[in-house]
Amino acid sequence: MIDRLQELGREALEEIKQADSVKALESVRVKYLGKKGPITEVLRGMGQLSEEERPKVGQKANDVREEIKEKLEEKTEQLEKAAIDEKLKAESIDITLPGREVKQGARHPLTAVVEEIEDIFVGLGFQVTKGPEVETDQYNFEKLNLPAEHPARDMQDSFYVTTDMLLRTQTSPVQARTMETFEGQGPVKIVCPGKVYRRDDDDATHSHQFMQIEGLYVDKNVQMSDLKGVLEAFVQKYFGADRSIRLRPSFFPFTEPSVEVDVSCGICGGKGCRVCKYSGWIEVLGAGMIHPNVLEMSGFDPEIYTGFAFGMGVERFAMLKYGIDDIRHFYTNDIRFLNQFKRA
């Protein structure tokens, strides 16, 4: 019987060695270790043995069983590991291939210009203030010395929501609203960036929607020289220290006196070229001393307080700085155009 058990053990180990799947191993286990297996058949004949032989045969049978179980577990572990390795190999990523580019956005050029201008004026002591884009006729016009039927209203074709509500045509209403919160006590020193709307035909230099930044400074003894000093400091910081400005008389209903502000041409250095129409100067913004009526309507005594205001188009400043020839480029979302300003 011991010889038979040894033979069965060798056969089982050889079949385990030849097995190429977990399923085949399970068949070997059932074949040799099952209740109807040959090892069990041998043990059933132990009744014919003497008392001295039984323990030896029983011990050998247990040894053969344990060896078969051990080899089954080892081979099962090998086959499972091989299956996992094969699956990983089939699902592996070829790291030699170039990765897919992750496209990242950047600030829109107008946003970059607005933030740059804000930073300059914050450095000059101004605060950034914002207000509603849907505005009342009172704040958009009347509080700015533009009563109903005033001829200056014809300069701004407007988008009306109701007879008394419209899309603001300028950011000046923010100035009026802010002055009211100070209840007639200065100083007030703010810049107001934002979108404005006018019914205009879109072309290379006009748009029905564009961005403005307006500024306001109200305090005692504010003079025109203060306005010139602030604007000159701003222009030299934005365009370059070699640039200068000039003031030309103009008219705006909410300022008196009013001026147009020109900056010396950066292409020709003020000598005259095609860009500046051979004048040496480029018009960039409007400004002036705040009209006494505007101060009074916002709660300030014009006998005590004076102030200046100015307004500029953000698109114009961006076009001048980056050499852009068509305002429509800012709003068509052409990636080829916008990619040029990733580091702006």
Side-chain angles (χ1 to χ4, degrees), residues 117-134:
I117 293 174
E118 287 178 348
D119 288 344
I120 294 172
F121 280 106
V122 168
L124 294 171
F126 287 78
Q127 291 183 323
V128 179
T129 308
K130 297 182 180 180
E133 293 179 17
V134 178

Side-chain angles (χ1 to χ4, degrees), residues 110-167:
L110 293 181
T111 301
V113 169
V114 168
E115 291 178 353
E116 181 181 1
I117 293 174
E118 287 178 348
D119 288 344
I120 294 172
F121 280 106
V122 168
L124 294 171
F126 287 78
Q127 291 183 323
V128 179
T129 308
K130 297 182 180 180
E133 293 179 17
V134 178
E135 191 53 273
T136 64
D137 185 272
Q138 180 185 17
Y139 282 100
N140 196 80
F141 291 124
E142 294 188 20
K143 287 276 189 177
L144 303 176
N145 205 33
L146 281 161
E149 308 302 329
H150 193 291
R153 288 199 183 196
D154 294 338
M155 298 167 60
Q156 301 179 11
D157 291 336
S158 309
F159 293 102
Y160 275 87
V161 180
T162 68
T163 55
D164 189 51
M165 299 286 290
L166 71 156
L167 300 181

Side-chain angles (χ1 to χ4, degrees), residues 1-10 42 57 60 64:
M1 285 187 178
I2 290 176
D3 292 341
R4 176 57 179 160
L5 288 171
Q6 289 178 336
E7 183 183 354
L8 290 172
R10 287 192 298 270
V42 171
V57 174
K60 185 61 179 178
V64 171

Side-chain angles (χ1 to χ4, degrees), residues 228 244-248 260-264 279 281-282:
K228 186 175 186 294
S244 57
I245 66 171
R246 74 174 182 182
L247 308 182
R248 293 182 290 107
E260 297 283 0
V261 182
D262 301 336
V263 61
S264 57
S279 68
W281 299 92
I282 299 174

Side-chain angles (χ1 to χ4, degrees), residues 21 102 122 133 160 172 189 214 243 304:
S21 67
V102 178
V122 168
E133 293 179 17
Y160 275 87
S172 303
K189 203 172 185 182
E214 298 196 17
R243 309 295 280 275
I304 300 175

Side-chain angles (χ1 to χ4, degrees), residues 206-219:
H206 298 86
S207 174
H208 65 280
Q209 170 193 302
F210 56 99
M211 298 192 70
Q212 272 190 347
I213 294 182
E214 298 196 17
L216 173 88
Y217 178 32
V218 176
D219 203 355

